[in-house]
């Protein structure tokens, strides 16, 4: 499959079907007189591999093969897919991850990155650290678009006029907040002199110090000149000097140097080059903290002390130990494993009375603390799939049938519970994962299988082929497993569903809100299956154990973190090699989550830029 | 020198500093310029998307014709009292006969642009609502509004900006013969406001009667100085960036110019009393949708804006519809997208019919607001408005874009003759097929914007309007 070697996943693209499974029935729109849809031509149906000549085969197209995300817009050929092969078995692209012989040397192309603006959570965190405010203005901003699963990807983030209006509202609200009487203490850290007595010189000093932190680098004199515009305007208008200062500080928050994480290439640069110290400090702080660099990191950049591996490693160690690194849990892991969204998940309230808002919240804490356990220990990331512990509070303990005896809850009310001998086993049985991959009324083995395949193995499942209905005909006499088996008998459905369904069916012992069950209605649950390599399993524990041995898991996790931390889709030429190489590096350390993070952040993929076209 | 150039020069001088012209002229709000039209008579446009498609064989009227010659199909029965204000256009297509997967993103992404989305890139052309906003947006305090009910859609291959958004601003170019071109290129998805409370605050901002005129003027002047302060930053920054990154910075300054434009307008004297604000949090079916409908009607009635796009739900919407009694009564699957795959059989078909009927009932109640409220000229609001109503799919079950229905409500001051079903033939040769692109050429003409082509395959005006 040489032609597929470069295929990269874009994460879980497309397959968000409620019941994404086919019956194999062709549903060409034959009821329309006069319609002669080329795709409903019987000769073109049934075998997606034989798509319309000249259009490529959409079934195996790699969504990343247009132009690179940062390339010249408008020149891509969006319809380009891989040539039709006519062979359904080849429909499923391989990611290239997990090669048994990882590259011996680091790849050379760090890839090009589109200019990234702060996303909503980064904006909130940044103004918290910049101003000490408790306001979270970005919570009301228009939503950030996703790149893969993440809202850190520059090519997906845009600014509409309404978004800019929100920036303006936020800037003024934040200044009103800073200058409120109740904020006197923190105001003093920014307003270090009196503009009433100190005049323009005082205002300039305040703005200069503030801009350095807000721009994440020292501002130039010309930049400060421009920022002084409102100070002068206030005089002309007869407004108070404080009004002028507030407006100048608001201008800092409207500047592109605050809103964007600005990086640029030296004039004439064609090949990869290192980031400047300030650019690197910014990448580090947003990757680890989802926020601006602190004074120590900026000071290191000032002093040129972000250059050597040792200096970088020391900063990463320091920053991982800081409380702000919880952004990795809430934003990186929360998006990767979707527990960020469990509290918004809809479950049928009649059928699943146990799934209360409080339980959904506990499930988010469970997943968050589960990942934190890996963040703060040397357990290998593969142990996520086999872990014999989880984090529960009283309501989850009851739901999972775990003992609450002797539990010592932490501040969030949860405790680390030993799950040995219970029906919970690591990541796959996290309540949030089981719930968010279900429909409101029932489980969806297809969604669960897709989740495992795309999020944990970075496989890419193309959407169902043309004119194949993706609905199950629900026959009450059949179990879900039997119903799903029907579509796998269809050659056009089988290649993908042979991958997804067995994975998802392995979790059938857990209902649509994650409770353990042994019966599906009146029929005992059958959670047996085989991996694509033939490894048999029965239920979540054995499935987890098998996945822990899958060579794709660690590189996939690495690639997810690269997407999040670098802020671009992993669809450029060296990206698969990067993921394999860096996962191998992490493995050579101790294979822990923090070693994956260190491996990525210390690499040239993170520290360097490839100029875009 | 075109009028657009004048507009740009005006901005530059107002900024009080030298700035480079934007890379993409289209990225700026060019209202009162280029394609600007007269502010009277009032012409409004509302583009309305409901999610997950039609029950096509029960949604297209049986026969073409006017008055008694056409009857509403079963799925439009909730609109019976509005029939005299409706124009159903059938037989058009949009973009493709499934050349590519990503049905929902293709549907919503091309719905009002007539342009095939670009995989994982924000590359398309302006949507018709934004072309019209350029023409009439300068007449009102807010050039255009984008509203919706949630931001949850997945990428459906192409990107969440195609499934969560139907309003785009792309390139616009005046031609020497007075026509306009809207070519494909880097474009900005405008996103949408999903909180009725926030939308309300936006509509009625700056109407605080407690503020004195002098205070308000000073506040506006200071705000302007803030915007002036950052313009040089943008200019300097753009010199250091590559072309695609400059586009991102241009998006920021497009927004800043829009704020400048607003500040330069005298505060609007609201002709309407400020209504009560909606609750801060509302459930979709028991408050949010109704509040959004009400706000859109008020925005038109008070002439705060004349252009709105609205998404009843995102493309491929997976909202749980068990609040619809006919759906909950049947038990089992109840999410919107799941039941759209109804296979023309069984309980899921029954549920899909109920879902489509529920959506049309909500739309009918909104249109009734426009029909029963009086415009400044004494006519119903709906008389001076066009509402374009369609979905991210043609047929929900087939997930296709063939024979794509377009329901039009309102008369745009008499430019559109309603109570008709206009049917175009579905042809074997797509190159001969009439399309949404053709439909939009006629539409834009009615707003004073002359285009020769639009979208991927809009080639000629269609006389659907009368």
């Amino acid at each position: 499959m040489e032609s597929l070697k470069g295929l990269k996943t874009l994460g879980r693209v497309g397959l968000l079907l409620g019941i994404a499974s086919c019956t194999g029935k062709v549903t060409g729109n034959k009821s329309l007189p006069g319609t002669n849809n080329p795709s409903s031509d019987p000769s073109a149906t049934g075998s997606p591999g034989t798509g319309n000549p000249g259009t490529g085969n959409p079934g195996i197209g790699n969504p990343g093969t247009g132009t690179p995300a940062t390339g010249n817009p408008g020149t891509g050929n969006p319809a380009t897919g891989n040539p039709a092969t006519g062979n359904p078995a080849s429909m499923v692209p391989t990611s290239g991850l997990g090669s048994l012989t990882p590259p011996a040397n680091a790849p050379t192309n760090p890839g090009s990155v589109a200019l990234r603006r702060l996303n909503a959570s980064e904006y909130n965190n940044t103004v918290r650290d910049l101003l000490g405010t408790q306001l979270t203005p970005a919570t009301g901003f228009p939503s950030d678009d996703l790149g893969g699963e993440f809202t850190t990807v520059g090519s997906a983030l845009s600014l509409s006029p309404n978004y800019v209006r929100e920036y303006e509202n936020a800037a003024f609200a934040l200044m009103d907040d800073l200058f409120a009487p109740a904020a006197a203490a923190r105001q003093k850290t920014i307003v270090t002199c009196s503009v009433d007595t100190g005049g323009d010189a005082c205002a300039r000093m305040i703005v200069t110090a503030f801009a350095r932190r807000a721009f994440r680098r020292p501002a130039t004199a010309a930049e400060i000149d421009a920022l002084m515009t409102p100070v002068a305007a206030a005089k002309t208008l007869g407004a108070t000097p404080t009004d002028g200062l507030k407006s100048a500080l608001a201008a800092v928050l409207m500047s592109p140097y605050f809103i964007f994480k600005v990086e640029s290439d030296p004039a004439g640069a064609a090949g990869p080059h290192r980031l400047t110290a300030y650019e690197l400090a910014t990448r580090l702080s947003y990757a680890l903290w989802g926020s601006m660099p602190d004074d120590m990191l900026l000071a290191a950049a000032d002093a040129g002390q972000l250059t050597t591996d040792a200096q970088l490693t020391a900063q990463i160690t320091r920053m991982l130990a800081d409380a702000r690194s919880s952004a990795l849990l809430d934003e990186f892991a929360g998006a990767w494993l979707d527990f960020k969204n469990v509290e918004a998940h809809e479950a049928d309230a009649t059928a699943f009375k146990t799934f209360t808002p409080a339980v959904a919240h506990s499930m988010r804490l469970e997943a968050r603390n589960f990942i934190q356990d890996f963040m703060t220990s040397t357990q290998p990331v593969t142990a996520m799939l086999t872990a014999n512990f989880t984090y529960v509070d009283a309501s989850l303990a009851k739901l999972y049938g775990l003992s609450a005896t002797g539990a010592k809850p932490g501040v969030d009310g949860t405790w680390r519970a030993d799950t040995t001998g219970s029906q919970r086993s690591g990541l796959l049985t996290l309540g949030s994962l089981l719930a968010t991959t279900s429909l409101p009324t029932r489980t969806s083995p297809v969604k669960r299988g897709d989740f495992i395949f795309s999020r944990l193995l970075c496989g890419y499942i193309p959407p169902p082929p043309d004119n194949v209905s993706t609905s199950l005909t629900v026959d009450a006499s059949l179990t879900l497993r039997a119903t799903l088996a029907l579509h796998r008998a269809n050659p056009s459905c089988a290649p993908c569903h042979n991958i997804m369904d067995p994975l998802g069916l392995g979790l059938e012992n857990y209902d649509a809100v994650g409770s353990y069950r042994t019966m599906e209605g009146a029929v005992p649950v059958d959670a047996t299956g085989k991996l694509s390599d033939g490894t048999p399993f029965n239920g979540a524990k054995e499935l987890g154990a098998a996945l822990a041995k899958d060579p794709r898991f660690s590189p996939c996790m690495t690639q997810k973190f690269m997407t999040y931390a670098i802020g671009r889709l992993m669809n450029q030429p060296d990206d698969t090699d990067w993921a394999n190489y860096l996962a191998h590096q992490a493995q050579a350390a101790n294979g822990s989550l923090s070693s994956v993070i260190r491996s990525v952040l210390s690499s040239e993929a993170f520290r360097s830029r490839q100029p875009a076209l | 020198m075109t009028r657009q150039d004048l507009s740009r020069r005006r901005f530059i001088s107002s900024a009080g500093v030298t700035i480079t012209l934007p890379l993409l002229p289209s990225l700026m709000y060019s209202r009162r310029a280029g394609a600007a039209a007269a502010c009277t008579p009032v012409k409004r446009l509302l583009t309305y998307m409901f999610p997950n498609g039609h029950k096509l064989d029960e949604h297209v009227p049986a026969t073409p014709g006017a008055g008694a010659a056409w009857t509403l199909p079963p799925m439009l029965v909730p609109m019976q009292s509005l029939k005299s204000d409706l124009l159903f256009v059938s037989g058009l297509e949009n973009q493709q006969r499934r050349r590519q997967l990503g049905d929902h993103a293709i549907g919503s992404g091309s719905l009002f642009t007539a342009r095939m989305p670009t995989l994982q890139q924000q590359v398309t052309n302006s949507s018709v609502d934004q072309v019209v906003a350029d023409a009439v947006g300068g007449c009102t305090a807010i050039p255009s509004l984008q509203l919706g009910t949630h931001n949850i859609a997945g990428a459906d291959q192409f990107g969440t900006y195609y499934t969560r958004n139907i309003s785009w601003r792309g390139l616009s170019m005046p031609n020497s013969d007075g026509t306009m071109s809207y070519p494909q290129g880097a474009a900005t998805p405008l996103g949408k406001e999903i909180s009725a409370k926030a939308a309300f605050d936006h509509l009625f901002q700056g109407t605080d009667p407690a503020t004195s005129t002098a205070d308000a003027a000073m506040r506006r002047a200071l705000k302007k100085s803030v915007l002036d302060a950052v313009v040089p930053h943008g200019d300097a920054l753009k010199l250091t960036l590559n072309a695609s990154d400059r586009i991102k910075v241009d998006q920021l300054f497009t927004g800043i110019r829009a704020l400048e434009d607003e500040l330069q307008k005298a505060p609007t004297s609201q002709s309407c009393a400020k209504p009560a604000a909606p609750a801060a949090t509302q459930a979709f079916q028991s408050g949010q949708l109704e509040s959004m409908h009400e706000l859109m009607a008020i925005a038109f009635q008070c002439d705060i804006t004349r252009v709105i796009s609205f998404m009843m739900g995102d493309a491929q919407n997976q909202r749980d519809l068990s609040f619809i009694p006919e759906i909950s009564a049947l038990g089992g699957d109840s999410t919107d997208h799941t039941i759209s795959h109804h296979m023309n059989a069984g309980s899921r078909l029954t549920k899909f019919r109920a879902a489509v009927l529920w959506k049309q009932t909500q739309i009918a109640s909104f249109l009734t607001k426009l029909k029963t409220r009086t415009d400044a000229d004494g006519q119903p609001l709906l008389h001076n408005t066009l509402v374009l109503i369609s979905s991210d799919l043609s047929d929900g079950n087939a997930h296709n874009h063939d024979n794509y229905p377009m329901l039009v409500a309102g008369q745009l001051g008499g430019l559109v003759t309603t109570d008709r079903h206009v049917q175009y033939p579905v042809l074997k040769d797509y190159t001969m097929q009439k399309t949404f692109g053709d439909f939009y050429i006629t539409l834009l003409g009615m707003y004073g914007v002359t285009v020769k082509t639009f979208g991927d395959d809009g080639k000629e005006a269609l006389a659907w309007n009368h």
Side-chain angles (χ1 to χ4, degrees), chain A residues 572-608:
Chain A
Q572 296 183 47
D574 279 359
D575 288 349
T576 299
D577 283 350
W578 273 120
N580 286 332
Y581 176 78
L582 295 174
H584 187 71
Q585 297 283 101
Q587 187 60 41
N590 57 14
S592 66
L593 182 50
S594 102
S595 72
V596 170
I597 292 167
R598 288 163 187 280
S599 158
V600 170
L601 300 187
S602 307
S603 74
E604 294 305 324
F606 185 79
R607 292 160 83 176
S608 293

Side-chain angles (χ1 to χ4, degrees), chain A residues 332-390:
Chain A
F332 165 63
W336 170 44
L337 300 175
D338 219 19
F339 63 77
K340 201 178 169 180
N341 299 317
V342 66
E343 286 170 86
H345 179 72
E346 291 181 330
D348 187 292
T350 314
F352 300 105
K353 292 188 173 64
T354 54
F355 192 75
T356 60
V359 163
H361 178 72
S362 302
M363 285 179 173
R364 187 173 69 77
L365 294 179
E366 177 197 20
R368 186 183 192 277
N369 292 338
F370 179 79
I371 297 299
Q372 185 171 38
D373 202 295
F374 283 86
M375 198 79 84
T376 54
S377 71
T378 55
Q379 305 165 86
V381 290
T382 49
M384 288 179 190
L385 293 157
T386 55
N388 62 354
F389 66 87
T390 191

Side-chain angles (χ1 to χ4, degrees), chain A residues 104-130:
Chain A
N105 298 310
T108 53
N109 182 354
S112 36
V113 187
L115 183 64
R116 293 153 300 147
R117 65 163 167 78
L118 303 182
N119 65 29
S121 96
E122 290 170 339
Y123 187 98
N124 282 338
N125 292 343
T126 300
V127 297
R128 175 201 66 202
D129 294 343
L130 184 65

Side-chain angles (χ1 to χ4, degrees), chain A residues 10 13-14 16-19 23 25 27 29 31-39 55-56 58-59 61-63 66-74 76 78-80 113-115 140 142-148 154-162 164-169 172 215 222-224 226-227 229-230 233-234 237-239 243-244 247-248 250-252 254-257 259-260 262-265 346-348 439-442 460 462-467 469-474 569 609 612-613, chain B residues 29 56-57 93 97-102 104 116-123 142-146 151-162 164 169 184-193 198 202 205 217-219 221-230 232-238 240-256 258-259 262-263 316 318-322 331-335 337-343 348 394-395 397-400 402-403 426-428:
Chain A
L10 282 175
V13 183
L16 292 162
L17 300 169
I19 309 178
T23 57
K25 292 183 189 173
T27 56
N29 202 344
S31 61
L32 298 173
T35 301
N36 191 347
N37 182 331
S39 298
T55 61
N62 173 5
T67 53
T70 56
N72 187 15
T80 302
V113 187
L115 183 64
S143 77
D144 295 318
D145 281 299
L146 301 178
S155 59
L157 296 171
S158 58
L159 281 176
S160 66
N162 278 336
V164 180
R165 169 193 313 284
E166 296 287 353
Y167 278 149
E168 187 192 47
N169 289 339
F172 286 104
F215 296 174
E223 286 158 3
I224 302 297
L227 291 171
T229 307
L237 294 163
D243 282 337
S247 301
V252 172
M254 291 293 287
S255 170
Y257 295 117
I259 286 164
F260 294 100
V262 173
E263 294 170 3
S264 56
D265 302 306
E346 291 181 330
D348 187 292
L439 294 171
T441 51
R442 61 169 172 81
Y460 168 62
D466 184 17
N467 276 353
S469 169
T470 55
S471 277
L472 289 173
T473 303
V474 177
L569 298 175
R609 274 174 66 84
L613 295 174
Chain B
Y29 272 83
L56 198 63
D57 54 351
E93 296 195 17
R97 292 176 178 178
R98 304 189 58 144
R99 293 187 301 246
Q100 210 171 350
L101 299 172
H104 295 274
M116 182 78 177
T118 308
L119 281 170
Q120 298 289 334
Q121 290 185 64
Q122 297 170 348
V123 174
I142 297 174
S144 71
L145 267 186
Q146 296 78 41
N151 282 304
I152 52 127
D156 200 24
Q157 291 215 309
F158 286 86
T160 52
Y161 25 91
Y162 291 112
R164 299 177 178 184
R169 290 190 69 80
Q184 185 187 38
T188 305
L190 297 188
K192 60 190 190 293
E193 182 57 69
H202 182 191
Q205 68 183 352
M218 181 183 289
R219 198 184 302 168
L222 274 175
K223 272 190 170 186
K224 185 175 175 306
S225 76
V226 168
L227 303 177
D228 290 346
V230 298
H233 290 192
D235 293 342
L237 174 57
K238 281 192 277 184
T240 72
L241 298 177
N242 62 50
S244 47
D245 285 356
R246 276 199 297 273
I247 289 168
K248 302 276 181 197
V249 177
D250 276 329
Q251 290 177 339
L252 172 63
F253 283 91
T254 299
I256 285 179
L259 294 172
E262 278 179 34
L263 287 171
Q316 205 177 37
Q318 267 294 26
R319 182 175 271 129
D320 186 357
L321 299 183
S322 60
D333 292 337
S334 58
T335 51
H337 177 247
T338 304
I339 62 179
S340 74
H341 288 281
H342 53 71
M343 299 290 294
R348 209 178 269 165
S394 177
D395 187 70
N397 184 48
H399 267 50
N400 64 5
D402 311 343
N403 192 14
V426 177
L427 303 173
K428 185 173 183 178

Side-chain angles (χ1 to χ4, degrees), chain A residues 40-54:
Chain A
S40 60
D41 181 329
S43 68
T45 58
S47 173
T50 59
N52 203 10

